[in-house]
Amino acid sequence: MEEIGGIFILLCRIVRVSPGAFKNFRNIVFQMERIGLGSIPLVLVTSLFVGAVTAIQAAYQFQGFVPMRYIGAVVGKSVTLELGPVLTALVVGGRVSAAIAAELGTMKVTEQIDAMEMIAIDPVDYLVLPRIIAATLMLPVLTVFSDLLAILGGMVVSKISMGVSFNVFQNGLRLLFERQDLVGGLIKTFFFGFIIAFMGCYHGFSTRGGAEGVGIATMKAVVSSCLLILIANYLLASLIFRVIFAPE
């Protein structure tokens, strides 16, 4: 109950300062650079291998039943609808939530946040809001990057392992691609970005007990953001499939 109350209070404070959300524009850009550019190497490696594994699994299940020319369609659908948004959120969430919780937790235990309040600087306005805006805006960008790399990984593995040419793979990709797949996946990423930054900020602000407390807050931020991403994915997928993919 204490955590639910703390989360609700932080949400209310964020809503209160949100009308002036972009007055710290430079800070937002700085956080976008940290979250976006800093996560690219992790997303690059993860996405390439996710696409490669998806292609291998699809080929294994196709054997003797479905022509290999459809492998591009399966990789494209799987990546844009589900794998790209969720795996990017989990990978970036682990890194970014932990970094935010550690940074704000250190500021909390060294009383830097208390000092800001004493000189009339709202820490939610100055520290929390720019991180939330930056993560919410950057996660869709990273997901598009991840989708492209995963499809590239699937294409290369299909060529090397199954002998599916690039043209055949691309034709399969276009065959069943629908714009709603990409839109549905990207809508989820805005919520995932908010969850990642919010849980990092909440646990950072809740830090108690020196260096050991910072470690505990970091662990809690990673665990809670990953769990909430998976729960939100289920809820959003249910809603998106009813709204965007509803039969006309």
Side-chain angles (χ1 to χ4, degrees):
M1 289 301 292
E2 183 184 349
E3 291 222 339
I4 292 173
I7 288 171
F8 181 74
I9 290 170
L10 183 57
L11 274 174
C12 291
R13 293 181 68 183
I14 290 169
V15 171
R16 184 172 60 81
V17 298
S18 59
F22 289 94
K23 69 181 179 184
N24 294 318
F25 186 70
R26 284 190 177 182
N27 196 2
I28 292 171
V29 173
F30 175 67
Q31 295 299 332
M32 288 173 72
E33 183 182 344
R34 290 179 69 186
I35 294 170
L37 294 182
S39 300
I40 282 179
L42 204 56
V43 172
L44 188 151
V45 175
T46 307
S47 304
L48 283 174
F49 282 98
V50 164
V53 170
T54 305
I56 289 172
Q57 288 190 347
Y60 172 73
Q61 295 178 44
F62 281 5
Q63 282 179 341
F65 299 101
V66 181
M68 287 296 170
R69 65 175 179 271
Y70 293 111
I71 198 166
V74 172
V75 172
K77 284 258 179 198
S78 305
V79 165
T80 53
L81 261 176
E82 192 66 26
L83 295 177
V86 175
L87 290 178
T88 302
L90 290 174
V91 170
V92 174
R95 174 185 172 273
V96 172
S97 272
I100 291 175
E103 184 182 9
L104 298 188
T106 303
M107 292 180 71
K108 180 69 177 176
V109 298
T110 54
E111 300 182 349
Q112 293 179 57
I113 292 177
D114 296 334
M116 290 176 70
E117 289 177 335
M118 288 182 67
I119 57 174
I121 295 176
D122 188 342
V124 175
D125 187 22
Y126 189 74
L127 297 174
V128 175
L129 201 55
R131 285 166 173 77
I132 287 180
I133 293 173
T136 305
L137 294 178
M138 285 311 298
L139 205 68
V141 177
L142 289 170
T143 302
V144 171
F145 181 65
S146 168
D147 288 350
L148 293 173
L149 287 172
I151 290 170
L152 178 65
M155 192 186 301
V156 171
V157 167
S158 299
K159 171 72 174 174
I160 294 172
S161 302
M162 282 80 76
V164 178
S165 71
F166 291 159
N167 283 336
V168 171
F169 186 96
Q170 289 172 14
N171 288 335
L173 186 64
R174 294 193 198 99
L175 187 64
L176 296 180
F177 177 79
E178 295 180 23
R179 194 166 41 191
Q180 294 97 315
D181 298 343
L182 184 62
V183 173
L186 290 180
I187 287 173
K188 293 191 288 188
T189 60
F190 288 99
F191 293 90
F192 295 161
F194 177 86
I195 289 170
I196 290 167
F198 180 82
M199 295 316 296
C201 291
Y202 169 71
H203 287 290
F205 270 43
S206 306
T207 304
R208 302 283 186 279
E212 186 182 357
V214 174
I216 293 171
T218 304
M219 179 193 66
K220 284 183 175 179
V222 174
V223 172
S224 58
S225 65
C226 290
L227 282 176
L228 286 177
I229 285 168
L230 294 175
I231 294 169
N233 182 50
Y234 166 72
L235 297 174
L236 290 168
S238 303
L239 184 64
I240 287 169
F241 272 99
R242 287 183 185 177
V243 176
I244 296 181
F245 297 97
E248 298 179 357

